[in-house]
Amino acid sequence: MKKITTSLILKITAFFLVTVTFALTLISAVGIVALLEIGAYEYSEDFVLRDYTESYLYSEGYSLANRYHDSGVALTPGLQTNYYYQISDADGQILETNFNGEDYFVKVQTRLSFRTYVSPEESYTDFFLYGEEEEAKLEVPEVDYGKYIVEEYHITLWSKTELVVQDRLYLFNTVYDLAYSLRYWAFVFLLVFGVSTLILMIFLYCSAGHRKEAEKPQLNYLDRIPFDLYSLFFFALAFLEIALFSENGLWFLPTLYAVAFLFVVAVVDFLLFMAYTLSFATRVKTGTLFKNTVLRHVFHWLGKGVKAVWSGITWVASNLPLIWKACIWLFVLVLFQLLLGIFTENIVAFSALAMEMFIFVPFVIYYAIQLQKLQKAGEEISKGDLNYRVQTDNMTPNLKKHAENLNSISLGMSRAVEERLKSERFKTELITNVSHDIKTPLTSIINYVNLLQKEDLQNERARQYLEVLDRQSNRLKKLVVDLVEASKASSGAIKVEFAPCEVNILLQQAVGEYQEKFQNAALEVVLTLPEEPIVILADGRHLWRVFDNLMNNIAKYAQSGTRVYLSLEHRENRVFISFRNISRAPLNIPGEELMERFVRGDSSRNTEGSGLGLSIARSLVELQNGILTLVVDGDLFKVVLSFEAFQSPSLPQ
Amino acid sequence: MTNILICDDEKDIVAALKIYLSAEGYRIFEAYNGKEALAVLEREEIHLILMDIMMPEMDGITAISKLRETYRIPVIFLSAKSEDSDKILGLNIGADDYITKPFNPVEVTARVKSQLRRYLNFGTAEKKPEQESRYSVGGLELDDKSKECFLYGEKINLTPTEFDILKLFMQHPGEVLSPKNIYQKVWKEAPYGAESTVAVHIRHIREKIEINPAEPRFLKVVWAQGYKLEKDVK
């Protein structure tokens, strides 16, 4: 089905065929009507022929008589005719004839009389004709014109059995012969051609718009013309045609030509009809029937305009200061009341109303100004400006109360924020001071443990205990240092000096610094760096501290004999630095939790380190406007740092 | 005999330091606050002072600003204050070095030695005539002919690559050199991702010439940019 409806050749053929079948249908229909008209279904063929021949002979006879009366010769001798004739005068005297008693088909007799009035002023001829059977008397005119001459001719015509001249009798004979023999077939033709026309039309409607290369119906050039314009064109054409025919008719044309002309017009009309309806079908299929109309476009733009105007009005209304809104409403109200007042006759009531307005309006505006102040204050406070205060002078008592409440809210909030900042600062300071106080005794412990280790101790167990003391005191030292750093990093008490940093170099430096540590832990480093230098805006020392912590973690917690992947990528204006390694101990803690202070993989709790490394790293990355993400996938431990790329790639060497 | 003054309010720390430094053959004087330290200075000929900052009566900062009016002997601060700002303040006020508590006794000894070497002997080394093949930055000396390196007159063994790298830094003191740059100049070929080798070699050099390689004084790491040799080492 699809193939049939998309084949262009088939469609063109169908279009030609439908034109032809329509023409044939039209011919069949016209033929049937014509045959009905001449009685082909009522009478025999002979009767109809005889009927036609009689009327033919009569009209020929009149012209013969006329010609004889005018010129004295009825028929130029030697001229071929389809009839024999005889003209005689009123007394039966034969004037002219070519009939010699041959065989004939139909014989008619008629009489033609001419009356010529002759008066001194004028003369004119009148003629009367009578049928053979009509034995009417010549009527004497009521008005006496005086003297007149009467000439009377008797005409007899015999149609020949064999027609020799191809005139209209001959044509009728031939056409009628054929038509009569087909008079019942005509119905069959009408049915067959009519039905095939209908089928072809349906096919054309179905296939309209379908193309080989497209799944959905497509529009051609005609279909793109706005539908209302397109319709207007066709209806105008139809209207014009009807007007032309009803005005003038086709009386100026001989019947046969008129019929042919009408036939052509009908076929052309049909083609136009098809063009219109096929386009209609395509439009319905593609759903563009109403979409593609001038009217719709017009309404669409009108609608858009109205919408734009409306949204403009609402925008203005929503952005207008409160006081302006109040003024506009008041103006409208006052105008309305004034208009109302003008139409009331009571002049006293009107002036009272006007007076009231003069007192009322300033009050409302005064209130609107106060409300606007409050609104502004609320906005500022909600935006975070906690130092904003409403000026409460000249405010009415109830609104003043509200303004004071707003002020105390912002005051309270700013105090709370201050408190928080203060407590955060205090916490950091406390940790720093406490750590100083811890460091002094710790120094002594470490030193004396060291001194003790240098003593010549004989007791093996005592040496083992010293070993533990040494390890734990060093761990305590690291913990204290890390604690200070963690509290500073998380409270933002660290100064960050941003400068363009080339991450490629930092990674190379980090790998160089950790080469021995990794070698000792039997870890192989796989470093993937892009060709071009990747630059971010950060503080090199803090960034190194982050790398240091992460690399240290890897050296401490990675499964020995595995590979460590360090990579640097630049994607869509962001730089991603990733550290991947295989954890030695099973990681049963989610990534987020690993970054919480003092949390480490459970089974690695006994090893050295404070557990603050990741927390410090994250705080430092965040201080440098970066993001640290931690992914734990089975034993795969992955840390990704992402920073915004620094735009200028050139670095001072 | 070299005299060292140790000044700390924590008696145990003074005692521990006394044990370490005595073992190195120094004569130790003790003080427990700034005032006492100044009094000892009046009485004795002191060659180096190790001083705490947070002390009762007179703190280290006040003491050092007082003693700097008359003495130019090396002073090393020993403090629990480990912030950068504390270190900068200490060094600006006139200290020659800054060691944070808890300290490693070995490091303290090494730094004391280094300061004394500079104070007592280095002045003579500076008088040596400069030669074409000789480079000198701070207490570091490099002889390109004999391929030898000296730190405050003490010979340091470097591998040929390490020597070449250090020479490059000595030729460009105070300049930041990127790993790529160093590789191209020393190996004389394009790096193609071999720059981490440079970092390893530099770490080795640092281990040889620095007292504490994690806090280098000569060959410093400029993170994310490169490395540089400090021009003026205290």
Side-chain angles (χ1 to χ4, degrees):
Chain A
M1 188 65 201
K2 175 95 193 138
K3 241 183 181 169
I4 297 169
T5 51
T6 54
S7 164
L8 189 66
I9 299 167
L10 255 175
K11 277 201 260 185
I12 291 170
T13 318
F15 198 78
F16 273 113
L17 271 177
V18 83
T19 315
V20 172
T21 52
F22 173 76
L24 288 171
T25 312
L26 196 67
I27 290 170
S28 311
V30 169
I32 287 167
V33 171
L35 284 169
L36 273 172
E37 198 66 25
I38 59 173
Y41 299 101
E42 274 179 86
Y43 312 105
S44 68
E45 187 183 2
D46 190 64
F47 180 85
V48 174
L49 268 180
R50 203 174 281 277
D51 202 39
Y52 187 83
T53 313
E54 266 176 21
S55 71
Y56 167 81
L57 288 176
Y58 278 126
S59 79
E60 285 299 316
Y62 300 143
S63 33
L64 280 173
N66 264 312
R67 272 204 298 277
Y68 186 82
H69 176 252
D70 289 347
S71 60
V73 181
L75 199 71
T76 321
L79 204 71
Q80 291 286 325
T81 52
N82 283 334
Y83 52 85
Y84 307 107
Y85 73 98
Q86 181 189 297
I87 301 178
S88 46
D89 61 14
D91 310 322
Q93 178 78 43
I94 293 171
L95 300 171
E96 203 179 311
T97 187
N98 61 357
F99 183 65
N100 296 312
E102 289 99 339
D103 282 342
Y104 60 90
F105 176 51
V106 177
K107 175 191 170 189
V108 292
Q109 276 187 318
T110 186
R111 202 163 52 176
L112 199 65
S113 60
F114 297 85
R115 251 196 289 197
T116 308
Y117 306 92
V118 182
S119 68
E121 296 87 27
E122 51 169 356
S123 83
Y124 82 97
T125 309
D126 202 1
F127 68 87
F128 303 87
L129 40 108
Y130 296 94
E132 161 80 319
E133 291 77 24
E134 210 175 359
E135 286 292 338
K137 286 180 185 116
L138 277 176
E139 281 170 37
V140 177
E142 283 166 26
V143 186
D144 185 14
Y145 287 98
K147 195 178 159 194
Y148 59 85
I149 307 154
V150 177
E151 293 159 280
E152 196 178 288
Y153 303 101
H154 292 258
I155 308 139
T156 314
L157 289 125
W158 299 266
S159 74
K160 291 180 181 172
T161 48
E162 288 293 324
L163 300 180
V164 291
V165 179
Q166 293 186 353
D167 62 355
R168 65 190 173 97
L169 182 66
Y170 178 82
L171 191 70
F172 182 83
N173 265 282
T174 326
V175 170
Y176 185 71
D177 202 37
L178 182 70
Y180 189 82
S181 66
L182 292 174
R183 68 191 191 283
Y184 295 114
W185 282 108
F187 289 101
V188 179
F189 291 153
L190 183 67
L191 194 74
V192 168
F193 293 133
V195 167
S196 46
T197 304
L198 268 178
I199 289 170
L200 283 166
M201 275 168 82
I202 288 166
F203 166 74
L204 281 170
Y205 290 139
C206 285
S207 65
H210 287 290
R211 305 242 180 111
K212 218 172 233 164
E213 65 276 6
E215 192 65 32
K216 285 182 172 170
Q218 301 291 308
L219 298 171
N220 62 24
Y221 295 112
L222 283 178
D223 302 330
R224 299 226 168 89
I225 300 168
F227 186 66
D228 41 5
L229 273 189
Y230 197 64
S231 305
L232 198 69
F233 171 74
F234 282 98
F235 285 120
L237 216 63
F239 182 76
L240 196 73
E241 198 183 305
I242 290 165
L244 267 177
F245 285 140
S246 61
E247 190 79 8
N248 302 322
L250 284 167
W251 313 131
F252 54 93
L253 275 177
T255 322
L256 206 61
Y257 291 114
V259 168
F261 180 74
L262 277 178
F263 179 74
V264 171
V265 166
V267 171
V268 169
D269 280 351
F270 175 72
L271 290 179
L272 286 172
F273 171 78
M274 284 307 289
Y276 179 69
T277 50
L278 281 175
S279 180
F280 180 84
T282 315
R283 282 157 202 262
V284 169
K285 277 186 211 170
T286 52
T288 52
L289 184 64
F290 296 110
K291 257 188 219 163
N292 184 20
T293 57
V294 173
L295 274 179
R296 192 181 171 277
H297 287 309
V298 168
F299 280 124
H300 184 70
W301 285 111
L302 273 179
K304 262 197 173 173
V306 168
K307 221 178 189 176
V309 168
W310 178 247
S311 67
I313 289 170
T314 50
W315 184 83
V316 167
S318 64
N319 283 288
L320 219 54
L322 197 61
I323 172 134
W324 281 104
K325 271 190 251 183
C327 283
I328 289 170
W329 282 115
L330 269 178
F331 179 74
V332 171
L333 192 72
V334 168
L335 202 73
F336 180 70
Q337 294 213 353
L338 281 179
L339 282 174
L340 216 68
I342 286 165
F343 290 111
T344 55
E345 265 126 57
N346 193 338
I347 192 74
V348 180
F350 173 60
S351 37
L353 204 66
M355 288 286 282
E356 181 204 312
M357 282 294 132
F358 278 112
I359 298 160
F360 180 56
V361 169
F363 253 108
V364 170
I365 289 172
Y366 177 50
Y367 261 87
I369 290 170
Q370 292 184 47
L371 277 173
Q372 178 140 358
K373 269 189 190 171
L374 292 174
Q375 197 184 33
K376 177 108 174 42
E379 238 164 62
E380 289 297 324
I381 291 166
S382 75
K383 269 184 206 155
D385 180 5
L386 298 177
N387 292 319
Y388 193 89
R389 298 283 178 275
V390 190
Q391 290 295 321
T392 53
D393 318 331
N394 307 324
M395 272 198 166
T396 47
N398 50 347
L399 288 180
K400 193 171 188 166
K401 183 88 189 116
H402 184 53
E404 277 163 1
N405 285 343
L406 265 180
N407 282 349
S408 59
I409 285 172
S410 77
L411 191 71
M413 272 169 76
S414 68
R415 264 196 204 134
V417 169
E418 227 165 79
E419 283 294 299
R420 219 184 109 81
L421 284 175
K422 214 157 109 189
S423 88
E424 195 74 19
R425 261 204 308 274
F426 179 70
K427 201 172 79 186
T428 309
E429 244 166 67
L430 182 76
I431 289 172
T432 315
N433 287 337
V434 167
S435 83
H436 289 159
D437 290 346
I438 293 170
K439 273 177 191 169
T440 309
L442 189 60
T443 310
S444 288
I445 293 170
I446 289 171
N447 286 339
Y448 284 94
V449 165
N450 187 264
L451 284 171
L452 210 55
Q453 277 175 322
K454 283 185 178 162
E455 291 296 317
D456 187 20
L457 283 181
Q458 297 300 320
N459 192 333
E460 178 59 30
R461 236 185 305 165
R463 273 219 295 276
Q464 279 177 6
Y465 295 162
L466 259 181
E467 193 73 22
V468 174
L469 275 178
D470 182 43
R471 201 172 61 230
Q472 294 299 336
S473 55
N474 273 312
R475 187 175 159 199
L476 189 58
K477 171 184 160 186
K478 175 119 179 69
L479 196 68
V480 169
V481 171
D482 280 0
L483 190 64
V484 173
E485 198 161 351
S487 93
K488 282 189 148 186
S490 69
S491 67
I494 285 182
K495 207 169 148 196
V496 182
E497 279 164 21
F498 285 101
C501 289
E502 209 179 314
V503 189
N504 310 48
I505 295 180
L506 188 58
L507 267 171
Q508 284 160 0
Q509 288 175 326
V511 169
E513 294 294 317
Y514 271 88
Q515 198 238 15
E516 264 131 65
K517 266 196 182 180
F518 280 10
Q519 232 164 32
N520 293 341
L523 295 168
E524 189 189 330
V525 178
V526 181
L527 179 64
T528 318
L529 295 176
E531 282 289 315
E532 75 280 1
I534 306 291
V535 182
I536 62 172
L537 212 53
D539 187 321
R541 282 180 321 133
H542 294 325
L543 200 58
W544 158 247
R545 189 75 176 90
V546 172
F547 279 35
D548 193 20
N549 280 357
L550 295 175
M551 299 283 272
N552 209 13
N553 269 353
I554 292 172
K556 262 189 269 177
Y557 303 122
Q559 171 71 45
S560 57
T562 59
R563 275 181 281 270
V564 175
Y565 291 86
L566 308 182
S567 69
L568 177 60
E569 277 177 277
H570 186 191
R571 285 198 307 266
E572 289 159 6
N573 204 32
R574 277 198 89 77
V575 173
F576 297 89
I577 309 156
S578 71
F579 299 78
R580 280 172 294 171
N581 68 280
I582 302 294
S583 171
R584 192 188 314 130
L587 291 165
N588 45 8
I589 299 169
E592 263 312 301
E593 220 171 280
L594 270 174
M595 277 192 285
E596 300 296 321
R597 287 178 204 176
F598 293 111
V599 174
R600 275 175 303 148
D602 255 354
S603 36
S604 48
R605 265 240 174 251
N606 305 331
T607 54
E608 52 166 330
S610 60
L612 287 166
L614 279 175
S615 167
I616 293 170
R618 180 167 69 167
S619 300
L620 284 175
V621 167
E622 279 163 7
L623 276 176
Q624 295 172 81
N625 304 326
I627 302 163
L628 185 148
T629 40
L630 209 160
V631 181
V632 176
D633 184 5
D635 281 345
L636 176 70
F637 186 83
K638 179 177 165 188
V639 177
V640 180
L641 314 179
S642 96
F643 292 91
E644 196 178 317
F646 182 60
Q647 280 313 312
S648 159
S650 57
L651 245 182
Q653 282 293 300
Chain B
M1 196 67 165
T2 312
N3 298 335
I4 295 176
L5 172 63
I6 303 172
C7 177
D8 197 318
D9 60 331
E10 195 73 26
K11 290 197 169 113
D12 293 333
I13 292 177
V14 176
L17 282 172
K18 192 175 178 179
I19 295 166
Y20 287 118
L21 293 173
S22 300
E24 297 292 324
Y26 301 114
R27 193 163 147 220
I28 307 300
F29 293 86
E30 296 166 34
Y32 300 108
N33 62 48
K35 267 190 182 158
E36 285 183 34
L38 289 174
V40 173
L41 266 177
E42 293 276 314
R43 286 199 315 264
E44 309 287 339
E45 195 206 356
I46 301 295
H47 299 106
L48 184 140
I49 305 172
L50 273 169
M51 194 185 270
D52 188 15
I53 290 178
M54 290 180 290
M55 287 182 297
E57 302 261 344
M58 183 191 277
D59 64 19
I61 301 287
T62 320
I64 201 170
S65 47
K66 281 250 165 82
L67 72 87
R68 272 284 174 255
E69 287 167 9
T70 28
Y71 306 96
R72 54 177 290 269
I73 49 168
V75 178
I76 300 175
F77 266 144
L78 269 177
S79 176
K81 286 187 160 187
S82 54
E83 311 308 308
D84 285 346
S85 55
D86 299 326
K87 289 182 190 170
I88 290 163
L89 175 72
L91 293 172
N92 280 346
I93 210 101
D96 296 275
D97 207 346
Y98 195 107
I99 301 172
T100 55
K101 287 180 189 173
F103 47 75
N104 179 352
V106 182
E107 189 185 335
V108 174
T109 315
R111 286 187 191 250
V112 165
K113 273 186 189 170
S114 148
Q115 287 298 332
L116 282 173
R117 211 159 35 212
R118 226 164 69 92
Y119 179 60
L120 298 173
N121 315 325
F122 188 52
T124 51
E126 254 179 341
K127 283 166 197 153
K128 277 185 188 167
E130 287 282 327
Q131 288 169 23
E132 279 285 311
S133 59
R134 261 185 108 79
Y135 302 95
S136 171
V137 174
L140 264 178
E141 275 181 72
L142 217 66
D143 191 333
D144 201 16
K145 272 189 184 146
S146 61
K147 302 284 174 198
E148 280 173 320
C149 173
F150 299 94
L151 179 67
Y152 297 124
E154 219 169 88
K155 198 182 171 215
I156 286 167
N157 292 316
L158 296 174
T159 66
T161 315
E162 286 165 6
F163 186 87
D164 288 345
I165 294 172
L166 196 55
K167 194 178 97 188
L168 184 68
F169 279 109
M170 301 283 267
Q171 284 164 343
H172 305 275
E175 272 178 48
V176 178
L177 303 176
S178 76
K180 193 181 268 181
N181 212 326
I182 296 166
Y183 194 93
Q184 280 165 345
K185 293 226 168 96
V186 174
W187 276 262
K188 295 189 173 59
E189 54 187 84
Y192 295 125
E195 293 101 322
S196 359
T197 336
V198 174
V200 176
H201 282 289
I202 285 174
R203 184 168 169 81
H204 287 158
I205 298 171
R206 280 211 318 265
E207 273 161 7
K208 287 177 183 173
I209 65 169
E210 303 287 354
I211 293 163
N212 181 0
E215 276 179 50
R217 297 193 302 159
F218 295 101
L219 197 46
K220 290 191 168 167
V221 188
V222 184
W223 297 110
Q225 286 182 32
Y227 304 90
K228 84 172 173 187
L229 185 66
E230 203 61 59
K231 232 177 183 172
D232 312 296
V233 182
K234 280 226 171 188

